[in-house]
Amino acid sequence: MKIGIGNDHTGIEMKNEIKAYVEEMGYEVVNYGTDVHESCNYPEYGEKVARAVAAKEVDLGILICGTGLGISLAANKVKGIRAAVCSEPYTARLSRQHNNANIIAFGARVVGIEMAKMIVKEWLDAEFMGGRHQDRVDMIMAIEDRNDA
Ligand code: RB5
C-alpha cells in the first residue's frame, strides 16, 4: 500500500520522522514536500496529496501543518477526499472505521512526535466498518455531487 505525505514549513521534521515510521511499518511512502524551511502556503501541499489520493496514485494520505487545520481544509476541497484532523489516537481510529477518512492530518505545533506516531498507527491499522457507516459516508459524498449540479 502506498501512502502520500505532505506538509508545510512547520511540519518538515515531523514529516521525516513519520515517513520513516510508516516505512518501518512496511508501507511505501511518497513525499510531496515541502522540504524547504522557508515559510510556504499549506494549501499547495494539501491539494497535492489530496489530488494524488483522488487519482489513486497513492492509497491514503498524511498531511501536517502547524495545526493540521489549514492543510486539511484545502485537501477537503478536492472531490473524493475525506481528510480528518486528529490530535489523539481514538479519533484517528474512528475516522477510518466510521468515516473512511482517506487522509489524516495533524498539527506539528499541537502534538508531539510520539502522539503523532500513535495517531498514524491507529489510523493505518483500522479498517472501514461499512454498513450504516457506508450510508453516512455516501451522504457526505452526495453533497459534493449536489455542488456540481
Ligand atoms: C503557518 O504559520 C500556519 O498557519 C499553518 O502551519 C497551519 O497551522 C494552518 O492551518
Side-chain angles (χ1 to χ4, degrees), residues 7-11 39-43 64-73 106-110:
N7 55 282
D8 73 0
H9 53 287
T10 68
S39 182
C40 68
N41 299 316
Y42 55 78
I64 308 167
C65 68
T67 58
L69 285 173
I71 204 158
S72 65
L73 289 170
F106 41 88
R109 292 172 173 166
V110 178

Side-chain angles (χ1 to χ4, degrees), residues 30-139:
V30 182
N31 176 19
Y32 290 88
T34 185
D35 295 293
V36 175
H37 283 89
E38 234 169 78
S39 182
C40 68
N41 299 316
Y42 55 78
E44 194 183 322
Y45 299 94
E47 182 176 1
K48 272 188 190 173
V49 171
R51 291 216 180 273
V53 172
K56 300 191 188 326
E57 282 165 32
V58 293
D59 301 286
L60 295 168
I62 299 173
L63 291 173
I64 308 167
C65 68
T67 58
L69 285 173
I71 204 158
S72 65
L73 289 170
N76 275 318
K77 294 293 179 191
V78 174
K79 193 165 182 169
I81 294 305
R82 292 174 300 281
V85 186
C86 297
S87 299
E88 39 71 32
Y90 176 76
T91 309
R93 169 151 44 100
L94 271 286
S95 78
R96 191 91 183 272
Q97 289 180 332
H98 288 194
N99 315 116
N100 203 13
N102 47 15
I103 292 186
I104 195 155
F106 41 88
R109 292 172 173 166
V110 178
V111 298
I113 184 61
E114 294 309 320
M115 182 63 86
K117 284 180 185 172
M118 286 173 78
I119 289 167
V120 168
K121 183 167 172 33
E122 283 294 316
W123 178 68
L124 286 173
D125 286 351
E127 275 179 37
F128 181 50
M129 292 166 76
R132 68 181 190 281
H133 302 295
Q134 182 66 62
D135 298 341
R136 292 162 185 167
V137 169
D138 289 346
M139 287 174 74

